[in-house]
Amino acid sequence: MESTIISSSNFNAYFGTNHVVKNVNIEIPKNSVIAVMGPSGCGKTTFLRCINRMHELTPGATSDGKMMLHDDDVYEMHPIFVRLKIGMVFQRPNPFPNLSIYDNVIAGYKLNGLRLSKSEKDRIVEQSLTRSALWNEVKDSLHKKGTFLSGGQQQRLCIARAIAMEPEVLLLDEPTSALDPISTASIEELLYELKSTYTLVIVTHNMQQAARVSNKTAFFYLGELVEYNVTKELFTNPKDSRTQNYITGRFS
Amino acid sequence: MQELTSQLVQKPSRVIVQDRKTKYTGRNIRWEGVFKRSLVITALSVLVLVVGIFITLVVQSIPSIKALGIGYLTGKTWDPVSDIYGAWPFLLGTLLTSFLALIISIPFSFAIAVYLGEYRPTGWLSGFLKNVVELIAAVPSVIYGFWALVTLVPLVRKLESAIGVAPYGVGIFSASIVLAIMIIPYAASLGRELIQMVPSSLKEGAYSLGGTQYEVIRDVVMPYTKSGMFAGVLLSLGRALGETMAVTMVIGNTSLIPDSIFSPGNTMASVIANEFTEADRAVYLSALIELGLVLFLVTVVINMIGKSIIKRFTHE
Amino acid sequence: MNKLNPRIKYRLGMSKLFHALVIVFAFMIAIPLIAILFFVIKEGITKINWNFLTNIPKPVGEVGGGIANALLGSLIIVLVAAIIAIPIGIFAGIYLSENKNSRLSYWSRLAVDILQGVPSIVIGIVIYFWIVKPSGTFSAISGSMALAVMMLPIIIRSTEETLKLIPFTIKEAGFALGLPYHKVILKVIVPCGFSGILSGAILSVARIAGETAPLLFTAFGNPYLNANVAKPMQSLPLLIFNYATSPYEEWHNLAWGASMILLIWILLLNIITKLITQKWKVQL
């Protein structure tokens, strides 16, 4: 159970000359939920985007250090390969506006040119939507455009789209920050379910969320990884005064 | 059926999919480079195209520049049969028609811009007007020319005999009227956009001080959009200078210096259209191309000035 | 209070007068349009029949004849121009929207601006020296090239403007699924902006379908039916120009009929463009 799937050593990320992630060393165990939290601008999202090499898409963004997926350095693999193995869900739901719900789920296959038989497609769509707890709501309108769904449904569709590709790791960048409380609850529930199959790394600025969903929590502050521990431990017995300050609300 | 589904769920096709993914990824990576390179090549080709146009015009003009020198542009006689080339009649003809067209068009394009931008930005009547303006821009030049030849030229001829000038009908005046109609859409639609960009807070300020609508337009909207309106006029001038077919059909095509706005003449574009395929000597052909070069340079400069003014306006 | 009244009356009167003048001048633009449409339809509609569409022009003095050569020619010339210009234009537009700040973008954008303002007759001259002179003959393909050059800036601009509006998050979604760059662009971004790109392409066709000047020294015209793009070819605008300026009544008739067909064609293209932008818009 406790085998490591992602580990970084001396990892740094920059926007131009702006040093936003400083010397991060972290080990992420398999089949667990890791929450990454911290005040806004602390580099948590940037670090997450470095894991599947989305960071480098921003002009002027660079990074150095090691980021290992199992025993391979992510930065020595081709980014396409990395992203096939490490899926991602974004802050704002971003279903493809020109595709139906059905096509959105299998977009990873379809757009990559991976041919699937009709039954395979149907199976993947049903399985992914079931796992993302959306199947019952959309099974009768699979051929409507994805953008007709509500925000929370769209986000679950995006999760279905990511897990349809069977990634090993799923990164979630504040997946509920644009959603209402009810949608948030259903997504949190979903994360709990997904833990058995995937490794989840979720960025959140919401402490309660981190405490509710994660096994381990990492606290970032000003680009540094300040503390990383089992969630319960981190919240009840923080080792660092900055963590203490944060979770007691002394700065946001 | 139930069995089959559960079987599939139990045994995810992960291994197979990963394998296939690997195969496709290799192919994808190769195409990525090809695609990026072809994007660069097409962007570069547009640049090369424009530089190529300029170089071609310059190179082909060299015989004329060498043989005729700078005096070519001020030479008052164009007589290819006697090997005399002076471009002044065409420069004058172009300037006369274009500026006359501009002067005629300004009240109309201004009125359309104010109406659509300020008085009535929506509604069926403005929708109608917008469509009319778009259609005016869509009608081909050659149809304007044909129409003008059949209906406008006789009217102008009547006017000319009424005021006692030689009733040619065709000539600079007729060409200017057609040109004016054709360039109205450019300044009008640009002007409308500019007027709609005037912050309503400014206008409200003026209204709250008791200004009438006319005063608000005169004292707030006009000063605010002044530079942009000027650019719009410049851009329509650029259009007018290069317009060929309609002008060629109604200007009368003589190479004599026009002595009034009613006399026939030629513009740079129309003389090229008329004589290019007849030019049988190297200098003759080259002299025509030099006109093309002048036309190119003038329109480029005018367009660049106009566009940079608009860019500055919209960024503020 | 009484003293102010005439002044205010005067100002309100001025305002009303100005409003009235604006309306009068603005709507006068409809006069030439209606006149043109009226004349073209009145003169054109009586000339168009089956023979008119399927025959080639008869020599001067003979009654009848049609414009089949110009119809076929226009179709071929414009089609070939579209085939050349649309892919290049879309690709260049993609480059510009993808590389907003590169040095090549700056220069390409400037080139597009310049190209948009180049008089069409000048493009005709240049293509003459690039294709007609080296090949030794006027040809339809050279006419298509000239028209393609005129289409490029319209397609490039509309593609760039359309793609710029597509949010970065959609692109991110594509990358996060492990799509390679070309598939993110061609299968995600371009389909999202499809209606904008398509209407730009059709609009560019509408703009050049009536162009005459660049064809004068390239496609040149041809009184006979010809489908060989390496040979001179007739086109509708060329036929209208040549026959409208001729002194023969019969040829004027052909020119009227051709004008009406050309006008209908261009109006249809404009209407299609509008329908596409209205109906097919992808909701972002």
Side-chain angles (χ1 to χ4, degrees):
Chain A
M1 173 79 193
E2 270 294 294
S3 66
T4 304
I5 184 159
I6 284 174
S7 60
S8 75
S9 49
N10 302 329
F11 198 87
N12 294 286
Y14 313 83
F15 285 115
T17 53
N18 203 358
H19 198 170
V20 285
V21 172
K22 295 170 188 163
N23 220 27
V24 170
N25 296 286
I26 195 169
E27 291 200 340
I28 293 169
K30 211 174 168 188
N31 289 5
S32 57
V33 179
I34 308 299
V36 179
M37 65 170 194
S40 49
C42 68
K44 56 190 192 299
T45 293
T46 307
F47 178 72
L48 190 81
R49 291 168 64 90
C50 284
I51 299 178
N52 69 343
R53 299 189 59 174
M54 292 295 284
H55 175 60
E56 66 199 49
L57 293 176
T58 318
T62 50
S63 62
D64 56 52
K66 272 203 179 328
M67 178 76 74
M68 308 296 285
L69 172 68
H70 299 299
D71 300 322
D72 304 312
D73 190 334
V74 161
Y75 283 80
E76 279 165 13
M77 293 158 78
H78 195 280
I80 293 173
F81 237 23
V82 177
R83 293 173 199 145
L84 284 172
K85 294 191 174 184
I86 307 177
M88 189 166 199
V89 175
F90 297 86
Q91 194 166 358
R92 293 192 164 277
N94 53 359
F96 296 124
N98 55 324
L99 297 183
S100 65
I101 294 170
Y102 186 96
D103 285 339
N104 256 292
V105 177
I106 51 160
Y109 295 93
K110 205 179 141 157
L111 301 179
N112 258 313
L114 288 151
R115 264 180 222 113
L116 299 171
S117 68
K118 177 86 172 79
S119 61
E120 264 179 308
K121 278 195 232 168
D122 289 345
R123 183 183 58 77
I124 290 173
V125 169
E126 178 169 354
Q127 204 175 43
S128 308
L129 286 173
T130 311
R131 280 198 208 151
S132 66
L134 193 60
W135 176 251
N136 287 330
E137 292 160 59
V138 301
K139 65 181 173 205
D140 299 321
S141 50
L142 287 174
H143 295 283
K144 275 194 184 162
K145 293 260 184 291
T147 37
F148 284 118
L149 298 173
S150 74
Q153 288 173 321
Q154 285 190 18
Q155 193 62 299
R156 276 178 282 157
L157 177 60
C158 291
I159 293 174
R161 181 176 66 189
I163 60 181
M165 292 301 282
E166 309 264 2
E168 297 181 39
V169 182
L170 189 60
L171 309 175
L172 302 108
D173 180 10
E174 304 195 25
T176 60
S177 68
L179 303 180
D180 59 283
I182 294 168
S183 307
T184 303
S186 68
I187 296 220
E188 282 182 12
E189 215 170 289
L190 168 63
L191 298 181
Y192 202 78
E193 305 276 318
L194 291 175
K195 189 174 72 174
S196 59
T197 341
Y198 306 100
T199 307
L200 305 175
V201 184
I202 173 169
V203 160
T204 175
H205 61 253
N206 179 333
M207 272 181 280
Q208 282 76 24
Q209 188 169 53
R212 278 194 302 263
V213 300
S214 66
N215 304 92
K216 289 181 94 176
T217 298
F219 173 62
F220 274 68
Y221 187 62
L222 296 177
E224 285 175 56
L225 173 60
V226 173
E227 195 165 346
Y228 177 49
N229 209 338
V230 173
T231 301
K232 205 170 171 192
E233 192 66 17
L234 187 128
F235 276 98
T236 52
N237 188 15
K239 303 275 187 304
D240 195 293
S241 61
R242 288 170 291 181
T243 320
Q244 169 104 42
N245 285 344
Y246 183 69
I247 59 181
T248 53
R250 244 166 273 167
F251 54 74
S252 61
Chain B
M1 193 61 208
Q2 197 80 40
E3 256 181 51
L4 191 72
T5 322
S6 63
Q7 224 179 355
L8 283 169
V9 174
Q10 270 173 4
K11 204 181 108 207
S13 53
R14 196 168 193 154
V15 183
I16 308 161
V17 169
Q18 288 287 3
D19 213 29
R20 241 194 290 175
K21 274 191 210 162
T22 317
K23 197 179 114 201
Y24 278 94
T25 306
R27 195 187 298 171
N28 280 340
I29 290 167
R30 253 170 291 138
W31 275 105
E32 216 173 30
V34 174
F35 181 72
K36 279 185 183 164
R37 245 169 291 144
S38 50
L39 286 186
V40 173
I41 289 169
T42 47
L44 205 60
S45 70
V46 181
L47 193 58
V48 171
L49 186 66
V50 170
V51 175
I53 289 174
F54 178 65
I55 291 175
T56 307
L57 290 172
V58 170
V59 169
Q60 299 296 340
S61 301
I62 285 175
S64 149
I65 296 170
K66 266 190 188 154
L68 308 169
I70 195 78
Y72 170 59
L73 294 180
T74 50
K76 296 194 171 48
T77 317
W78 176 270
D79 186 3
V81 182
S82 333
D83 235 357
I84 301 169
Y85 306 97
W88 183 245
F90 313 130
L91 294 183
L92 193 64
T94 307
L95 291 177
L96 275 177
T97 44
S98 299
F99 277 99
L100 203 55
L102 212 54
I103 291 166
I104 299 170
S105 76
I106 283 174
F108 297 97
S109 41
F110 175 76
I112 295 168
V114 170
Y115 184 81
L116 292 177
E118 186 62 32
Y119 282 112
R120 203 175 287 263
T122 52
W124 75 267
L125 212 56
S126 54
F128 167 76
L129 189 58
K130 263 184 230 167
N131 281 320
V132 169
V133 172
E134 272 173 40
L135 287 180
I136 287 277
V139 171
S141 170
V142 71
I143 291 182
Y144 276 109
F146 193 11
W147 167 75
L149 210 51
V150 177
T151 63
L152 188 68
V153 166
L155 282 179
V156 171
R157 196 176 292 139
K158 264 184 206 154
L159 175 77
E160 282 170 343
S161 36
I163 61 172
V165 293
Y168 292 106
V170 293
I172 288 174
F173 186 66
S174 298
S176 303
I177 294 177
V178 186
L179 257 186
I181 298 169
M182 295 174 70
I183 61 176
I184 283 171
Y186 297 95
S189 55
L190 185 66
R192 175 182 66 99
E193 280 169 35
L194 294 170
I195 288 174
Q196 281 175 337
M197 270 192 260
V198 179
S200 52
S201 57
L202 283 183
K203 290 188 275 182
E204 279 160 13
Y207 279 123
S208 71
L209 293 174
T212 64
Q213 195 162 20
Y214 166 61
E215 285 158 352
V216 171
I217 290 169
R218 188 190 60 193
D219 300 332
V220 178
V221 175
M222 281 307 107
Y224 190 87
T225 54
K226 202 172 51 191
S227 64
M229 292 291 190
F230 176 67
V233 170
L234 270 186
L235 290 180
S236 21
L237 178 64
R239 283 277 151 189
L241 290 173
E243 179 46 52
T244 314
M245 296 322 293
V247 174
T248 306
M249 290 165 88
V250 295
I251 199 166
N253 301 313
T254 108
S255 303
L256 300 173
I257 291 182
D259 45 18
S260 85
I261 57 166
F262 292 106
S263 42
N266 244 336
T267 65
M268 292 192 272
S270 73
V271 75
I272 297 171
N274 276 319
E275 302 187 14
F276 190 84
T277 48
E278 296 165 9
D280 44 2
R281 266 155 296 158
V283 177
Y284 188 6
L285 189 65
S286 181
L288 288 172
I289 296 159
E290 196 181 338
L291 284 180
L293 178 64
V294 172
L295 205 51
F296 175 81
L297 292 176
V298 171
T299 47
V300 165
V301 169
I302 286 180
N303 276 311
M304 288 299 105
I305 295 173
K307 285 195 174 156
S308 69
I309 293 173
I310 288 171
K311 259 180 206 148
R312 216 177 310 144
F313 184 89
T314 46
H315 280 285
E316 265 165 19
Chain C
M1 203 58 200
N2 263 343
K3 247 185 169 180
L4 268 176
N5 251 343
R7 174 85 191 125
I8 289 176
K9 251 186 197 161
Y10 168 74
R11 285 171 55 205
L12 285 174
M14 276 301 284
S15 193
K16 272 189 189 144
L17 178 70
F18 182 74
H19 193 166
L21 278 177
V22 162
I23 290 176
V24 168
F25 274 89
F27 282 89
M28 265 164 77
I29 187 73
I31 296 172
L33 182 71
I34 292 167
I36 289 172
L37 292 180
F38 173 76
F39 262 92
V40 171
I41 293 168
K42 190 191 89 177
E43 297 285 340
I45 205 153
T46 53
K47 317 297 188 294
I48 296 175
N49 54 43
W50 185 246
N51 282 333
F52 181 78
L53 297 176
T54 53
N55 284 355
I56 63 169
K58 293 231 168 102
V60 180
E62 286 179 43
V63 180
I67 57 161
N69 55 340
L71 277 177
L72 181 72
S74 260
L75 210 64
I76 293 175
I77 292 173
V78 170
L79 198 68
V80 174
I83 291 169
I84 298 168
I86 289 174
I88 298 178
I90 291 178
F91 265 52
I94 292 173
Y95 180 88
L96 293 182
S97 78
E98 283 294 302
N99 303 275
K100 290 186 185 70
N101 300 316
S102 79
R103 193 177 298 178
L104 177 57
S105 286
Y106 174 82
W107 289 107
S108 290
R109 242 175 241 132
L110 189 68
V112 171
D113 273 347
I114 291 176
L115 205 53
Q116 205 155 27
V118 176
S120 56
I121 186 102
V122 172
I123 293 173
I125 296 178
V126 171
I127 298 294
Y128 173 85
F129 284 105
W130 285 357
I131 302 179
V132 176
K133 217 173 166 208
S135 71
T137 171
F138 295 110
S139 59
I141 185 79
S142 61
S144 297
M145 286 292 287
L147 295 183
V149 171
M150 299 193 65
M151 290 169 76
L152 272 180
I154 306 169
I155 303 173
I156 294 174
R157 264 293 134 88
S158 64
T159 305
E160 187 192 356
E161 296 300 323
T162 308
L163 297 188
K164 257 192 203 162
L165 297 178
I166 292 166
F168 185 68
T169 54
I170 303 284
K171 211 162 128 190
E172 274 185 328
F175 279 118
L177 287 175
L179 294 183
Y181 182 72
H182 64 281
K183 289 196 171 161
V184 171
I185 300 298
L186 296 179
K187 294 199 167 179
V188 177
I189 302 298
V190 168
C192 285
F194 187 69
S195 71
I197 295 172
L198 185 68
S199 62
I202 295 179
L203 190 70
S204 73
V205 173
R207 287 270 173 84
I208 56 100
E211 274 295 340
T212 321
L215 299 181
L216 288 171
F217 332 130
T218 52
F220 193 69
N222 186 339
Y224 303 104
L225 205 59
N226 168 34
N228 181 350
V229 291
K231 292 263 167 63
M233 199 180 273
Q234 188 64 291
S235 87
L236 283 173
L238 274 179
L239 180 138
I240 296 169
F241 173 60
N242 287 328
Y243 289 5
T245 49
S246 80
Y248 312 112
E249 185 60 29
E250 267 308 309
W251 282 11
H252 278 193
N253 287 342
L254 288 184
W256 280 122
S259 295
M260 181 157 162
I261 289 174
L262 183 61
L263 211 51
I264 290 172
W265 187 16
I266 286 170
L267 292 188
L268 274 182
L269 286 171
N270 274 284
I271 291 168
I272 291 172
T273 313
K274 281 207 159 168
L275 289 182
I276 288 171
T277 32
Q278 279 167 9
K279 296 259 160 89
W280 283 12
K281 197 143 190 147
V282 173
Q283 199 191 350
L284 291 172

